[in-house]
Amino acid sequence: MEPVLSALRGPSDSPSLLEIAFAEAVEGADQDDEIVTRLLDAAYEQFCRMGIKRSTMADVARLAGVSRITVYRRFATKDVLVEQVVRREFRRYFDQFIVDIQGARTVADRVVLGFASSLRAIRHNPLIGGLLAAEPDAVVPSMTSDGGRTLAAVRQFVAERLRREQQAGTVAGDVDVDLVAEMMVRVSASFLVIPSHVIDLDDEEQVCAVARRFLVPMLGPPPRAHA
């Protein structure tokens, strides 16, 4: 468990994995070579099936069909391998978020779909969601003891999407998108780490209704069309 927590936090003087994953999602990351991809796939499957603490580099090598030496040539330590697996999962989350909102016709619909997509993607992710469900007391501190950098990385991602909406004229220019993104991310994070006895997060229709009622109004009234 500790490697995952340190992976989420990152050293105090370096970016967290969420920050790196966000940058890769925005800029486009280079594709891993075939062996690295196979090892990351095997490690993900192994960690989900047996847990991180109970998994070894030999387990990953066996599942990937390569030698243990090959694993160590690509990843010097198990901690490095764990960090890369977690990083890839968050990168996939950011990528999927963008895909999920592309089909929405209005900014309100994109906020609703984005909120529902975020909760669904993280909660249903076998690795990240599994950690939140199995040991929330261990995972939550990793999100809150880094001076807010983890939440800031996600907030930056959401703010960038809202800023594009402003540039497209779908959000009024006087809306503070950084503040709105901050509030949206904190609402989402609270649902992820604190169980709700009022809202069924597995009910997609209910989750979308909550977003439309409480998150969409943060954007203010729609901009007036020019005559």
Side-chain angles (χ1 to χ4, degrees), residues 136-157:
D137 292 341
V139 178
V140 173
S142 74
M143 299 173 64
T144 59
S145 63
D146 63 352
R149 286 168 51 201
T150 295
L151 287 179
V154 184
R155 189 266 305 157
Q156 180 185 358
F157 177 80

Side-chain angles (χ1 to χ4, degrees), residues 2-11 15 17-18 20 40 47 52 75 77-90 127:
E2 183 56 33
V4 176
L5 303 186
S6 62
L8 289 171
R9 286 193 296 264
L17 289 191
L18 271 176
I20 296 172
L40 291 176
F47 296 159
I52 291 173
F75 307 99
T77 66
K78 179 182 171 182
D79 282 5
V80 172
L81 175 59
V82 171
E83 289 177 0
Q84 291 299 317
V85 172
V86 173
R87 172 175 163 181
R88 189 176 68 163
E89 289 310 295
F90 278 113
L127 182 62

Side-chain angles (χ1 to χ4, degrees), residues 4-222:
V4 176
L5 303 186
S6 62
L8 289 171
R9 286 193 296 264
S12 59
D13 59 348
S14 64
S16 69
L17 289 191
L18 271 176
E19 292 174 286
I20 296 172
F22 162 73
E24 290 177 341
V26 172
E27 300 170 4
D30 293 333
Q31 295 296 315
D32 297 320
D33 66 47
E34 188 271 335
I35 294 297
V36 169
T37 298
R38 194 196 309 178
L39 290 173
L40 291 176
D41 289 343
Y44 174 81
E45 181 179 344
Q46 176 67 27
F47 296 159
C48 289
R49 185 169 58 186
M50 298 298 297
I52 291 173
K53 294 181 70 173
R54 295 173 57 191
S55 298
T56 67
M57 297 288 263
D59 292 329
V60 173
R62 185 164 48 251
L63 196 58
V66 300
S67 69
R68 197 166 48 166
I69 293 176
T70 298
V71 180
Y72 280 106
R73 283 175 177 167
R74 297 310 202 278
F75 307 99
T77 66
K78 179 182 171 182
D79 282 5
V80 172
L81 175 59
V82 171
E83 289 177 0
Q84 291 299 317
V85 172
V86 173
R87 172 175 163 181
R88 189 176 68 163
E89 289 310 295
F90 278 113
R91 189 172 71 205
R92 286 174 169 174
Y93 155 71
F94 287 124
D95 290 340
Q96 187 60 48
F97 179 96
I98 294 173
V99 171
D100 286 346
I101 67 175
Q102 281 180 345
R105 294 186 303 170
T106 68
V107 62
D109 290 341
R110 285 188 281 277
V111 167
V112 170
L113 288 176
F115 177 70
S117 166
S118 298
L119 295 184
R120 180 176 61 251
I122 295 177
R123 292 180 67 249
H124 294 175
N125 182 285
L127 182 62
I128 307 302
L131 290 171
L132 283 168
E135 296 195 43
D137 292 341
V139 178
V140 173
S142 74
M143 299 173 64
T144 59
S145 63
D146 63 352
R149 286 168 51 201
T150 295
L151 287 179
V154 184
R155 189 266 305 157
Q156 180 185 358
F157 177 80
V158 175
E160 176 60 27
R161 307 305 302 182
L162 294 178
R163 199 165 284 112
R164 293 185 184 184
E165 297 284 358
Q166 276 188 326
Q167 294 169 352
T170 55
V171 172
D174 59 354
V175 172
D176 186 338
V177 294
D178 289 304
L179 179 58
V180 170
E182 175 90 3
M183 297 304 297
M184 289 181 172
V185 169
R186 288 185 179 274
V187 169
S188 300
S190 71
F191 279 118
L192 289 171
V193 302
I194 305 174
S196 174
H197 298 288
V198 176
I199 300 169
D200 181 1
L201 299 183
D202 291 319
D203 185 334
E204 190 88 355
E205 185 175 338
Q206 189 176 9
V207 169
C208 288
V210 168
R212 196 169 295 278
R213 181 176 179 184
F214 296 103
L215 299 188
V216 171
M218 293 184 188
L219 299 176

